[in-house]
Amino acid sequence: MSLSAGWVTEHKELIGVIMGTAFGLVSRLLMLRSDYRQYPAYPHGKIIHIALGLIASALGAIAVPALSDKNYTAITFLTLAAQQFREVRNMERGTLVAIDDLELVPRGAAYIEGIAVVFEGRNYLSIFAAFLVSLFVMLTGWWGGLIAGAFCIGVVFRFMRGTTIAHIAQVERADVRLDGPNLYVGDVYIMNVGLDENREIIAEDGMGFILTPKNDDARVTLANLGQRQAILHDVSTRLGVLRDDGDPALLPLAKLELKSGKLGLLFLPREKDKDKAFKAVTGVPLLEAAVRRPTKANRKSTEEGAHG
Amino acid sequence: MANIVGVVTTIQGSVAGGAPIFYTKDREQLQKTAFLLEKVLDCAAHEVNEDLFIIVNRKS
């Protein structure tokens, strides 16, 4: 290793760029795990995101040596990158909207918007990781870059977790009950089912859950139509769905009990395992578009009122 | 808004109006007709009472 120590200190910039790019790309790869949402599951979709992640991290990594070289115009390239990643968001939205019509249980616009925003955001995260690693390599040495990289990957994991339904609501199994044509989950009225055949299918295969909001903010979030559609889509993806096109009577539904704000869920799964179903419901991500904090807003306004 | 695209009933003269009305002999026939219409029209059959079904289209 004749070129080790001396070479590394001499080529700090190169090491910074390489390490920054590598860590940026690794963080993007970590964030690209295909999960139960099965998206993007196809190899070409992955290649697009890996390539964009590589470009993003290279941009972030190169910004530091460029700036330290007093090449301030280099920063304008970052704005170019931002432009590019907004395009990613549009692309993801376009694809998902196009295929949403063909889903038996659609994702809904709010969920699609959430996914598209995440795709854009994750590219910025990998720029940030690359920039930080590159910066620390320039300031300290390759070991500084390693520490910064490890920190960034920790941050990435934190960002990936997000909040789920389990954070805002108590999830309970409930009986699916037919009272003549009227269908109830627990005591929440769902719909009127006319045909005997559909009643039999629902009585046999229907599965019901009651989601009780934990506080007033949660009540607003659960009532959001986009959030409800996201729950139905995710649960149907994970448990399968017993329906075909042109069977509106067998559509999974979520209805509110107006007084208490409880949400009744009815779906017809292929997989009838209770634990899996419970996990599917509790694991549904909360949509940014659906989360509201009315109690916080109201508290602030009353305080302001008190202070005149 | 949902539209009523068909009415199925066993009682002659119990309903009238703009939607096509199908009269059937008995309740069994009523179920069959409603089933057929539900499948053909991609709509949901709802029970107003045991002798009167409406076929409802929710797609705008």
Side-chain angles (χ1 to χ4, degrees):
Chain A
M1 293 290 283
S2 59
L3 46 79
S4 60
W7 190 86
V8 165
T9 38
E10 255 174 59
H11 295 83
K12 227 175 192 175
E13 297 183 354
L14 185 65
I15 300 287
V17 169
I18 290 173
M19 279 183 69
T21 311
F23 270 107
L25 188 61
V26 166
S27 62
R28 187 71 190 92
L29 281 174
L30 283 174
M31 289 185 281
L32 200 60
R33 257 189 343 191
S34 285
D35 53 10
Y36 65 91
R37 269 159 281 195
Q38 300 296 311
Y39 186 84
Y42 35 86
H44 289 97
K46 271 190 183 164
I47 286 170
I48 292 171
H49 289 294
I50 292 170
L52 281 167
L54 182 68
I55 294 169
S57 38
L59 274 170
I62 288 170
V64 178
L67 285 177
S68 79
D69 207 26
K70 299 218 168 25
N71 189 356
Y72 296 120
T73 46
I75 207 79
T76 54
F77 277 96
L78 290 179
T79 59
L80 200 71
Q83 187 69 39
Q84 198 64 36
F85 298 133
R86 260 207 299 283
E87 213 48 50
V88 170
R89 178 162 156 190
N90 288 334
M91 177 187 83
E92 287 308 327
R93 183 195 295 125
T95 318
L96 289 170
V97 167
I99 58 174
D100 210 34
D101 286 342
L102 306 175
E103 299 271 0
L104 281 177
V105 182
R107 285 187 170 85
Y111 199 6
I112 288 177
E113 207 52 46
I115 295 174
V117 167
V118 164
F119 268 104
E120 187 185 356
R122 287 182 173 181
N123 277 308
Y124 294 131
L125 269 180
S126 71
I127 290 190
F128 170 73
F131 185 87
L132 214 65
V133 170
S134 182
L135 181 72
F136 271 84
V137 172
M138 294 290 286
L139 288 180
T140 56
W142 61 270
W143 50 271
L146 269 187
I147 295 169
F151 169 74
C152 285
I153 284 171
V155 170
V156 159
F157 269 114
R158 173 70 197 82
F159 268 88
M160 265 176 73
R161 269 212 305 272
T163 42
T164 61
I165 287 292
H167 288 93
I168 63 156
Q170 219 126 38
V171 181
E172 286 164 296
R173 266 298 294 268
D175 291 335
V176 176
R177 187 162 53 84
L178 273 160
D179 180 11
N182 298 320
L183 176 66
Y184 295 85
V185 166
D187 47 5
V188 182
Y189 178 80
I190 302 287
M191 63 174 162
N192 173 303
V193 187
L195 296 182
D196 284 342
E197 192 190 288
N198 290 337
R199 285 184 206 167
E200 276 165 31
I201 294 176
I202 290 171
E204 199 173 313
D205 294 315
M207 197 183 255
F209 278 95
I210 296 277
L211 275 57
T212 315
K214 285 182 180 170
N215 53 45
D216 288 342
D217 291 340
R219 191 174 300 184
V220 181
T221 307
L222 274 187
N224 184 289
L225 290 176
Q227 183 65 55
R228 288 197 235 171
Q229 192 59 41
I231 297 173
L232 294 174
H233 173 85
D234 258 19
V235 172
S236 303
T237 309
R238 287 177 76 160
L239 302 177
V241 56
L242 194 82
R243 80 174 287 254
D244 195 4
D245 187 34
D247 266 333
L250 300 179
L251 196 67
L253 271 180
K255 286 272 181 189
L256 276 185
E257 193 196 55
L258 284 178
K259 264 191 183 165
S260 60
K262 282 196 286 189
L263 186 70
L265 284 182
L266 168 81
F267 42 90
L268 299 141
R270 297 261 178 207
E271 168 70 62
K272 297 199 179 57
D273 191 304
K274 286 174 189 170
D275 292 336
K276 279 183 193 158
F278 187 78
K279 267 191 195 141
V281 176
T282 49
V284 176
L286 286 187
L287 302 184
E288 282 176 48
V291 175
R292 304 283 150 79
R293 305 246 185 277
T295 53
K296 201 173 172 185
N298 292 341
R299 195 167 56 232
K300 263 188 191 158
S301 63
T302 46
E303 270 172 16
E304 275 162 19
H307 292 303
Chain B
M1 198 186 70
N3 283 320
I4 298 180
V5 292
V7 178
V8 194
T9 181
T10 55
I11 304 169
Q12 291 263 350
S14 64
V15 280
I21 301 166
F22 299 83
Y23 292 114
T24 56
K25 276 199 309 251
D26 49 31
R27 286 178 183 170
E28 195 185 332
Q29 193 76 41
L30 177 79
Q31 282 281 344
K32 278 185 184 160
T33 312
F35 178 83
L36 179 72
L37 288 173
E38 181 178 286
K39 299 304 168 210
V40 171
L41 298 170
D42 282 3
C43 295
H46 293 293
E47 182 184 310
V48 179
N49 59 51
E50 285 180 322
D51 292 301
L52 175 62
F53 275 46
I54 51 174
I55 313 292
V56 178
N57 180 13
R58 287 205 173 68
K59 292 176 196 157
S60 54

